[in-house]
Amino acid sequence: MFFEKKVERFLEELGQKAQLPLRVELWNGRFIELSPHATVTLRINDPAAARYFLHPTLAKLGEAYVEGHVDVEGPLKDIISAAEGLSRRTDATGQGRLPLWRWAHSRRMDRKAIQYHYDVSNDFYALWLDRHMVYSCAYFKTGEEDIHTAQEQKLDHICRKLRLQPGDKFLDIGCGWGGLIRWAAKHYGVDATGITLSRNQYEYASKRIEEEGLSGRCRVLLQDYRDVPGEAVFDKIASVGMFEHVGLKNLPLYFGVIHRLLKPGGIVLNHGITAADPDNRWAPWGGGEFIEKYVFPHGELPHLSLAIREMSAQRLEVADVETLRLHYAKTLWHWAERLEQNRLRAAALAGEKRLRIWRVYLAGCAHAFEQGWVTIQQVLAFKPARAGESPLPWTRAYMYAPARDAEAAQPSEAMRLA
Ligand SMILES: C[S@@+](CC[C@H](N)C(=O)[O-])C[C@H]1O[C@@H](n2cnc3c(N)ncnc32)[C@H](O)[C@@H]1O
């Protein structure tokens, strides 16, 4: 009883101090209005759940919702802003924690983490991803495009940056449901191989490769990046939304594998989320803890400077960096809204708890990118062949060539000193 009163008082005080667009409905039917213009209703279902609100963080609030102790109604953006507002009351600075320990990232540990996130249900992912099932930041040219167009633009952007040519041996590390390998084989005439640790993705991608008549020049393997054999096998390598799973400890190993697999003069594009914090701190206000516990177990984000350092240490020469932070905020809002529109079906396919996790995660990450708590870059690099040569042209014009198939036929000249 004392506890319940304490929570009621805490929430009332909060209402006076913080202007949050929030109406709280308590387990006893009482309402506490935190603003005269509330757009979000938070229902606390039982007094025991009040413990989440004494020192709220994004992790605790997310957990209260995922475990069914609270329900929430209102526009997604307002819900996430209100959650941040509550967390700011607990900790004004919100500084994320330092990665004091580092996960071992053994093959077994990584496989289990990947299965947890990706082997949910292909139909569940199909409800809110685009028609190619691309599960990474899209590329917008106006910001008005739908998610299907923006993802196709992203696939082209990557293929052009890599200067894919007919006959190139192309590897996509962490290929997901195979969107990029199918696109590259179909439109750029490459021989494409994708690897993934998710059986669901492997089965889905294999089926679509066959259905689209790409067998023979496009394949997917169920394989860990550490186990791809050979040396100087590929002309071009992409890794898109995958290196977040590698772990800080294994970055030298990961970039070392890429260096081993690339032919001299070969090009790699590493597209991945990075920590905004230069010391690789987790996302603030408990956001990182929620992701670790419920979404991407053992994911770790390096700051861009560390990513570039580790690439360079493995003798990959960094040529170009593009930040896509707001592109990812927009992509995530698209996914979150599409999931909202399909909530009933999503719960039927993946279960109510998973739906709740994904609602928090998609809207929460959209907010995190919007606020600059995390960011994302495409880093283009190459394995130098000879001094005085680069496989890339003098200008960036090649990245924006108008027609993919025409460009593939007429590549621009690579840089070379006479
Ligand atoms: C966020 S998804 C991105 C998928 C795809 N690149 C896309 O853009 O749609 C991450 C991918 O990385 C793969 N992955 C993670 N760790 C891996 C590892 N150790 N070896 C191979 N693939 C891995 C997962 O299986 C998954 O396919």
Side-chain angles (χ1 to χ4, degrees):
M1 201 58 195
F2 168 72
F3 185 57
E4 292 177 26
K5 282 275 165 251
K6 200 170 160 189
V7 173
E8 281 193 44
R9 210 163 28 223
F10 171 78
L11 289 169
E12 276 161 2
E13 279 172 20
L14 201 60
Q16 286 154 16
K17 286 185 200 147
Q19 278 299 303
L20 300 174
L22 199 59
R23 172 189 306 114
V24 183
E25 185 183 347
L26 296 181
W27 51 90
N28 52 17
R30 244 198 96 201
F31 279 92
I32 301 174
E33 301 282 343
L34 301 199
S35 148
H37 311 291
T39 53
V40 176
T41 301
L42 174 73
R43 199 168 308 111
I44 304 183
N45 293 328
D46 60 86
R51 69 181 184 280
Y52 292 106
F53 293 88
L54 287 177
H55 302 286
T57 63
L58 293 177
K60 286 189 200 166
L61 296 172
E63 180 174 326
Y65 174 68
V66 164
E67 302 300 341
H69 299 301
V70 304
D71 288 304
V72 63
E73 273 159 33
L76 276 180
K77 290 194 178 190
D78 293 359
I79 293 174
I80 295 297
S81 299
E84 183 193 331
L86 285 171
S87 306
R88 279 179 184 273
R89 299 300 313 162
T90 302
D91 172 6
T93 69
Q95 200 169 49
R97 64 189 260 189
L98 276 170
L100 290 176
W101 37 260
R102 293 182 176 193
W103 291 108
H105 283 283
S106 64
R107 283 174 178 75
R108 186 163 173 275
M109 173 185 263
D110 286 351
R111 195 170 55 247
K112 280 182 78 172
I114 295 305
Q115 285 165 353
Y116 168 81
H117 186 90
Y118 299 95
D119 287 343
V120 173
S121 148
N122 287 340
D123 290 339
F124 168 73
Y125 279 103
L127 287 179
W128 48 276
L129 291 178
D130 67 301
R131 59 176 160 254
H132 300 288
M133 296 280 277
V134 180
Y135 193 21
S136 48
C137 171
Y139 183 65
F140 293 86
K141 293 184 182 173
T142 65
E144 301 301 317
E145 301 96 318
D146 64 24
I147 189 67
H148 308 285
T149 307
Q151 287 295 10
E152 291 186 354
Q153 289 172 176
K154 191 270 294 293
L155 296 177
D156 269 337
H157 201 42
I158 291 174
C159 294
R160 288 184 188 138
K161 281 188 174 185
L162 283 169
R163 307 192 74 217
L164 292 187
Q165 313 294 331
D168 271 355
K169 293 242 174 285
F170 171 55
L171 173 68
D172 184 11
I173 301 179
C175 67
W177 287 273
L180 177 59
I181 48 173
R182 286 183 280 112
W183 191 260
K186 208 180 289 178
H187 297 291
Y188 293 80
V190 302
D191 180 274
T193 302
I195 57 168
T196 174
L197 286 182
S198 154
R199 180 164 288 281
N200 281 9
Q201 291 181 335
Y202 163 77
E203 285 168 1
Y204 178 97
S206 302
K207 188 158 170 275
R208 273 191 76 165
I209 287 168
E210 202 182 320
E211 284 168 0
E212 293 173 24
L214 296 169
S215 308
R217 53 199 174 107
C218 184
R219 65 207 64 81
V220 59
L221 308 172
L222 197 53
Q223 193 172 51
D224 192 291
Y225 72 90
R226 286 160 276 210
D227 299 328
V228 182
E231 231 169 85
V233 182
F234 296 98
D235 300 285
K236 311 284 165 64
I237 297 179
S239 172
V240 186
M242 180 273 171
F243 102 131
E244 300 86 332
H245 294 293
V246 166
L248 303 186
K249 170 181 163 285
N250 279 350
L251 287 177
L253 173 68
Y254 166 74
F255 288 121
V257 167
I258 291 176
H259 184 272
R260 166 171 63 78
L261 292 173
L262 266 185
K263 293 180 185 174
I267 307 173
V268 55
L269 184 124
N270 193 76
H271 165 130
I273 304 172
T274 51
D277 182 87
D279 296 323
N280 319 305
R281 285 178 185 275
W282 290 24
W285 286 291
E289 281 84 341
F290 181 84
I291 296 292
E292 164 65 30
K293 181 166 182 181
Y294 287 110
V295 185
F296 292 114
H298 318 325
E300 287 175 283
L301 303 182
H303 184 261
L304 172 64
S305 56
L306 178 60
I308 287 183
R309 191 207 170 281
E310 299 296 357
M311 276 177 117
S312 308
Q314 298 306 317
R315 292 168 292 142
L316 293 167
E317 184 171 333
V318 172
D320 205 277
V321 178
E322 183 175 20
T323 293
L324 297 175
R325 180 168 68 80
L326 293 184
H327 294 257
Y328 216 170
K330 198 164 245 316
T331 305
L332 281 150
W333 283 127
H334 273 284
W335 290 342
E337 290 301 340
R338 286 164 67 80
L339 181 61
E340 287 303 285
Q341 287 157 18
N342 289 291
R343 273 164 67 176
L344 280 179
R345 181 101 186 97
L349 288 167
E352 175 64 23
K353 180 167 176 177
R354 207 175 283 267
L355 168 64
R356 284 181 175 236
I357 294 173
W358 258 247
R359 285 187 82 203
V360 174
Y361 141 56
L362 292 177
C365 284
H367 186 76
F369 277 97
E370 212 167 272
Q371 298 301 312
W373 298 348
V374 285
T375 182
I376 176 166
Q377 282 88 21
Q378 290 186 337
V379 179
L380 195 66
F382 60 90
K383 176 170 171 173
R386 274 172 293 276
E389 269 186 36
S390 158
L392 297 167
W394 292 98
T395 78
R396 287 178 171 149
Y398 68 97
M399 294 184 187
Y400 306 104
R404 50 181 171 262
D405 299 305
E407 186 210 14
Q410 291 184 333
S412 42
E413 278 297 307
M415 264 187 276
R416 184 191 294 267
L417 296 177

